[in-house]
């Protein structure tokens, strides 16, 4: 806290001077230095079971970023080059607050409940794979570098860049207003490993991102993959029946398109659920957003979907449709926290599915009836299969869903 107090930013300070001031203050830090080093080591190397998790953290940051009002859609380009990994996003340029957060520990200006992340440590996961990370955002150009000659404070100590490298200049020629992160791949790492991990990115995450609507993965090693999200139809819901637990009810049809080769449509029911049980001491919210996405599919093809919290949650869930909610997750985003809020949220998911069917879709003369028959059709197709479940945490939800869909 003492160090972060020293790093209080000044609104009119030039970018270079701001970076150099932060560097000077951190270089001169002596009090609690060993504790800070230990804390950074823990966040970076002990939080994540998979070193490639930083990819999801950076995609999450792109979705949480601010965008200009004139920007129609958030677009992120990931390029895997020989010796370099580049993330390029059409977000707003960095602010001093953004830079200050990168140079702090657990500091974030993200708003709980309005962004995917809020803990302020996701960016630092890049150091699981890289020793040097450079950032270019309009007037800002600086890097972090950990070498054998410096301690772990290098992970939060920025160094100003005088001359923009040729590869970044080329990138800026393509997208002059983009914010760019450049990471130097280590000599003993294989760029194909990053491509392999990226190839397993679950494209259905774009159904639930708030701002990011296009993700493009490019490399000299293989053809580019472009994922696009479009919203083709929005349905007007029936009367809300004065339900206080659910608000902001929406139904939309969305399409995920992959490299202009194939597309998949989903009918998505969503709401804001209110009055969740929670522990205020854990900085939790008493509300969350829930989305239930039914695929518009050929019933001869079965997809299996894990539980989502924007991104898939590791080894939890095995459904024929997608359940997405603002769950409370472990720091590495790989599992649900066993807390009061999540238990309340899981109960609300079942109640929401029941409410949507019996108080909305199946009411007389509802505008969704024709589309419901076309899209969902054989409702038994979507019944949970208990034998396939890997998590006892979802058992009560599975049984609730079975009761509802069987009744439907």
């Amino acid at each position: 806290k003492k160090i972060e107090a020293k790093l209080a930013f000044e609104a009119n300070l030039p970018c270079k001077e701001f970076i150099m001031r932060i560097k000077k203050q951190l270089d001169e830090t002596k009090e609690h230095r060993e504790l800070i080093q230990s804390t950074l080591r823990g966040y970076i190397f002990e939080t994540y079971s998979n070193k490639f998790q930083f990819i999801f953290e950076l995609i999450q940051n792109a979705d949480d970023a601010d965008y200009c009002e004139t920007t129609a859609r958030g677009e992120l380009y990931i390029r895997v080059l020989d010796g370099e990994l580049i993330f390029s996003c059409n977000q707003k340029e960095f602010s001093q607050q953004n830079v200050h957060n990168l140079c702090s520990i657990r500091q974030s200006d993200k708003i709980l409940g309005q962004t995917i992340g809020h803990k302020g440590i996701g960016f630092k996961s890049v150091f699981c794979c890289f020793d040097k990370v450079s950032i270019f955002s309009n007037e800002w150009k600086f890097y972090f570098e950990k070498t054998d000659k410096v301690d772990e404070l290098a992970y939060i100590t920025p160094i100003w860049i005088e001359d923009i490298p040729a590869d970044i200049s080329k990138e800026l020629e393509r997208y002059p207003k983009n914010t760019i992160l450049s990471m130097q791949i280590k000599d003993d790492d294989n760029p194909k490993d990053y491509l392999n991990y990226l190839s397993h990115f679950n494209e259905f995450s774009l159904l639930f991102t708030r701002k990011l609507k296009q993700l493009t993965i490019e490399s000299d090693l293989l053809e580019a993959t472009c994922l696009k999200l479009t919203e083709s139809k929005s349905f007007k819901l029936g009367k809300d029946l004065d339900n206080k637990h659910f608000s902001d009810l929406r139904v939309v049809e969305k399409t995920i398109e992959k490299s202009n080769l194939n597309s998949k449509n989903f009918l998505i029911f969503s709401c804001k659920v209110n009055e969740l049980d929670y522990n205020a001491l854990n900085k939790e919210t008493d509300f969350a957003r829930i989305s239930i996405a039914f695929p518009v599919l050929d019933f001869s093809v079965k997809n299996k979907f894990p539980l989502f919290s924007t991104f898939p949650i590791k080894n939890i869930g095995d459904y024929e449709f997608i359940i997405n909610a603002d769950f409370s997750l472990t720091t590495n985003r790989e599992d649900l926290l066993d807390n009061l809020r999540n238990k309340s949220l899981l109960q609300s998911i079942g109640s929401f599915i029941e409410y949507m069917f019996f108080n909305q879709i199946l009411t007389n003369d509802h505008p969704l009836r024709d589309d419901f028959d076309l899209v969902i059709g054989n409702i038994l197709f979507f019944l949970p299969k208990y034998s396939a479940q890997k998590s006892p945490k979802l058992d009560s939800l599975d049984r609730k869903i079975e009761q509802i869909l069987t009744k439907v």
Side-chain angles (χ1 to χ4, degrees):
K1 288 184 178 179
K2 288 181 179 179
I3 291 173
E4 289 178 355
K6 291 180 181 179
L7 297 181
F9 57 92
E10 300 176 23
N12 297 318
L13 207 61
C15 298
K16 181 177 180 179
E17 186 177 341
F18 182 75
I19 291 293
M20 295 180 71
R21 179 173 296 188
I22 291 180
K23 183 180 185 306
K24 182 175 184 294
Q25 290 171 339
L26 286 171
D27 286 344
E28 294 175 352
T29 296
K30 293 182 174 59
E31 188 178 9
H32 305 302
R33 193 174 186 95
E34 290 186 4
L35 175 61
I36 298 168
Q37 292 177 50
S38 175
T39 301
L40 285 167
R41 278 196 301 270
Y43 283 153
I44 295 168
F45 299 109
E46 297 173 15
T47 298
Y48 302 96
S49 63
N50 186 333
K51 71 175 186 177
F52 295 114
Q53 182 67 22
F54 79 91
I55 290 174
F56 286 97
E57 297 290 348
L58 295 185
I59 294 173
Q60 169 187 301
N61 286 350
D63 189 48
D64 289 338
D66 292 327
Y67 289 83
C68 295
E69 293 182 1
T70 55
T71 301
R73 55 196 298 124
E75 299 177 0
L76 176 63
Y77 299 86
I78 303 177
R79 310 194 203 288
V80 183
L81 308 175
D82 186 16
E84 186 178 18
L85 183 63
I86 292 178
F87 278 62
S88 177
C89 183
N90 65 338
Q91 67 188 71
K92 276 186 179 180
E93 65 184 83
F94 269 27
S95 65
Q96 284 192 349
Q97 181 68 64
N98 296 146
V99 177
H100 175 266
N101 294 341
L102 294 182
C103 303
S104 304
I105 304 174
R106 289 189 70 91
Q107 184 75 16
S108 175
D109 57 354
K110 297 180 180 181
I111 302 173
L112 187 63
Q114 296 184 23
T115 56
I116 306 171
H118 62 273
K119 297 180 179 70
I121 63 175
F123 169 79
K124 295 170 182 62
S125 64
V126 298
F127 295 109
C128 290
C129 288
F130 309 103
D131 290 331
K132 184 176 181 181
V133 180
S134 303
I135 297 172
F136 304 86
S137 185
N138 198 6
E139 298 294 325
W140 297 100
K141 45 181 182 173
F142 59 96
Y143 67 92
F144 302 94
E145 184 173 24
K146 174 70 173 71
T147 67
D148 295 336
K149 297 180 180 180
V150 294
D151 63 23
E152 282 77 2
L153 262 74
Y155 295 130
I156 58 173
T157 303
I159 301 173
W160 185 254
I161 296 174
E162 294 293 348
D163 299 314
I164 297 178
D167 56 331
I168 302 300
S169 294
K170 184 178 179 180
E171 184 70 27
L172 288 172
E173 286 177 6
R174 296 178 65 182
Y175 304 103
K177 295 184 178 181
N178 277 19
T179 289
I180 297 171
L181 270 67
S182 167
M183 291 147 279
Q184 303 300 310
I185 298 175
K186 296 179 182 178
D187 293 337
D188 53 352
D189 280 351
N190 189 336
K192 290 183 179 179
D193 292 337
Y194 295 94
L195 275 175
N196 181 58
Y197 193 78
L198 282 164
S199 69
H200 291 93
F201 174 76
N202 194 310
E203 66 262 35
F204 303 117
S205 294
L206 287 185
L207 292 170
F208 312 113
T209 49
R210 292 169 169 85
K211 304 171 188 174
L212 188 64
K213 303 302 177 186
Q214 179 173 315
L215 174 63
T216 304
I217 301 169
E218 298 178 328
S219 174
D220 296 335
L221 303 175
L222 48 79
E223 290 186 17
T225 299
C226 181
L227 304 174
K228 292 182 181 180
L229 176 72
T230 57
E231 185 174 311
S232 56
K233 191 185 295 184
S234 181
F235 300 91
K236 184 178 180 181
L237 290 171
K239 189 178 179 182
D240 195 7
L241 302 179
D242 299 322
N243 189 299
K244 294 181 179 179
H245 193 54
F246 304 119
S247 61
D248 193 20
L249 302 172
R250 304 177 191 175
V251 182
V252 297
E253 187 173 342
K254 293 184 178 181
T255 301
I256 295 286
E257 184 180 302
K258 190 171 184 178
S259 298
N260 297 317
L261 297 176
N262 57 66
S263 60
K264 296 181 181 179
N265 295 354
F266 288 81
L267 186 65
I268 303 175
F269 305 81
S270 67
C271 77
K272 178 182 177 184
V273 56
N274 305 296
E275 301 178 355
L276 289 172
D277 296 329
Y278 76 108
N279 186 340
L281 296 177
N282 293 339
K283 295 184 178 180
E284 298 170 348
T285 62
D286 64 347
F287 64 89
R289 188 129 200 113
I290 294 173
S291 300
I292 312 295
F294 288 97
V296 181
L297 44 70
D298 175 356
F299 286 101
S300 65
V301 179
K302 283 196 173 186
N303 288 300
K304 293 289 187 179
F305 301 105
L307 203 65
F308 276 65
S309 187
T310 302
F311 300 113
I313 303 173
K314 185 178 180 181
N315 296 331
I316 297 183
D318 195 5
Y319 296 102
E320 316 289 350
F321 59 99
I322 303 178
I323 297 174
N324 175 76
D326 297 333
F327 292 106
S328 299
L329 303 178
T330 54
T331 302
N332 60 14
R333 296 186 53 81
E334 293 181 356
D335 201 358
L336 296 178
L337 289 174
D338 186 13
N339 63 13
L340 187 65
R341 183 179 181 277
N342 279 342
K343 291 176 182 177
S344 179
L345 185 50
L346 286 169
Q347 291 177 351
S348 296
I349 289 171
S351 299
F352 174 58
I353 295 174
E354 184 173 38
Y355 174 76
M356 285 302 299
F357 280 135
F358 294 108
N359 292 328
Q360 291 289 336
I361 299 170
L362 299 182
T363 55
N364 291 331
D365 301 321
H366 194 282
L368 261 178
R369 283 299 298 275
D370 291 340
D371 295 279
F372 172 81
D373 293 338
L374 174 66
V375 173
I376 299 181
N378 182 6
I379 199 70
L380 296 178
F381 183 87
F382 297 102
L383 286 176
K385 312 298 187 293
Y386 297 123
S387 61
Q389 288 296 338
K390 299 179 180 179
S391 174
K393 295 178 183 178
L394 304 184
D395 186 65
S396 61
L397 175 60
D398 293 342
R399 297 189 185 281
K400 178 71 171 178
I401 292 172
E402 182 186 46
Q403 292 172 4
I404 295 166
L405 298 187
T406 302
K407 188 176 178 181
V408 171

